[in-house]
Amino acid sequence: DPAISGKAVYWIADANYRLKKMDNAISGYNDFLVLSSTLAPGLKDEAHYNIGYAYLSKNEKGKAIESFRTYIQSNPENIQKKADAFMRIADAYYVSKENEQAVKYYKEALTLKAGYEDQALYYMANTYGLMQGEMNNKIKNLLDIVTNYKDSKYLLISIKEIADGYKFQGELEKA
């Protein structure tokens, strides 16, 4: 039965992924992805998502971004995973110092309202802090955390960074 065989290919790849054998996982997921699309469309989305994480673990950001984008373009039903994929794309761009792209994808994650809002705001603020002339946007995002996410693990560091931002701008009375 081709459907069972196809799922077996997926589950072998998934086992390798969970065992942190990333090269074997990527290869297995790619083998699965070339099978007929009728075999298990939901698993195809998961394969792209897991390939993204596998490439991240290998520090291959470009390939990770490509896999997460493919996952997002499949219009997955799981909004939390979709937001996570946006966050991972943004993080990969952030680490690569492609700040405009990082901000774009943090904003995408933020708009989904899937539980990553404070994290997206914080990392977007950090990204703005690295961009020339964007200190006001950094402070604005941090103030959003302080105002709207009182239980956030980013709350205290946001308060400190707001003060640092105002100090950097010479607005000592606000710091």
Side-chain angles (χ1 to χ4, degrees):
D1 182 354
I4 293 173
S5 297
K7 287 180 182 177
V9 171
Y10 174 86
W11 292 115
I12 290 168
D14 201 59
N16 282 315
Y17 175 79
R18 293 176 193 282
L19 292 170
K20 310 269 188 254
K21 296 179 181 179
M22 296 308 175
D23 289 327
N24 291 342
I26 292 167
S27 175
Y29 285 132
N30 283 326
D31 289 346
F32 171 75
L33 288 170
V34 297
L35 299 174
S36 171
S37 63
T38 61
L39 288 176
L43 291 181
K44 289 194 180 274
D45 294 346
E46 291 298 311
H48 286 295
Y49 182 80
N50 290 348
I51 289 171
Y53 265 105
Y55 278 127
L56 278 183
S57 76
K58 293 170 48 84
N59 207 26
E60 294 183 35
K61 292 173 216 55
K63 290 180 179 179
I65 289 169
E66 182 182 325
S67 294
F68 285 124
R69 278 188 177 157
T70 302
Y71 172 77
I72 290 165
Q73 289 169 356
S74 72
N75 201 20
E77 290 181 20
N78 186 327
I79 297 302
Q80 237 178 330
K81 274 191 173 181
K82 187 175 182 179
D84 180 67
F86 278 125
M87 290 295 292
R88 299 302 70 87
I89 292 170
D91 291 345
Y93 280 127
Y94 175 82
V95 171
S96 300
K97 297 181 177 23
E98 295 181 52
N99 297 327
E100 290 82 10
Q101 287 293 333
V103 166
K104 173 186 171 184
Y105 283 95
Y106 286 131
K107 285 180 179 178
E108 291 285 347
L110 188 61
T111 61
L112 289 177
K113 305 269 187 238
Y116 291 93
E117 294 83 4
D118 61 335
Q119 183 182 12
L121 284 165
Y122 181 75
Y123 284 103
M124 194 176 358
N126 280 344
T127 307
Y128 278 132
L130 298 173
M131 298 166 71
Q132 183 114 22
E134 295 291 344
M135 187 58 68
N136 284 335
N137 280 326
K138 176 180 180 169
I139 293 169
K140 179 179 161 259
N141 281 280
L142 295 169
L143 285 169
D144 194 351
I145 294 170
V146 171
T147 304
N148 297 311
Y149 302 95
K150 301 285 186 196
D151 295 328
S152 172
K153 71 179 185 178
Y154 302 102
L155 180 65
L156 293 178
I157 191 70
S158 294
I159 293 168
K160 180 201 176 298
E161 289 191 26
I162 290 167
D164 290 345
Y166 283 133
K167 183 178 174 185
F168 177 79
Q169 291 183 313
E171 297 181 66
L172 298 178
E173 68 284 352
K174 291 183 180 180

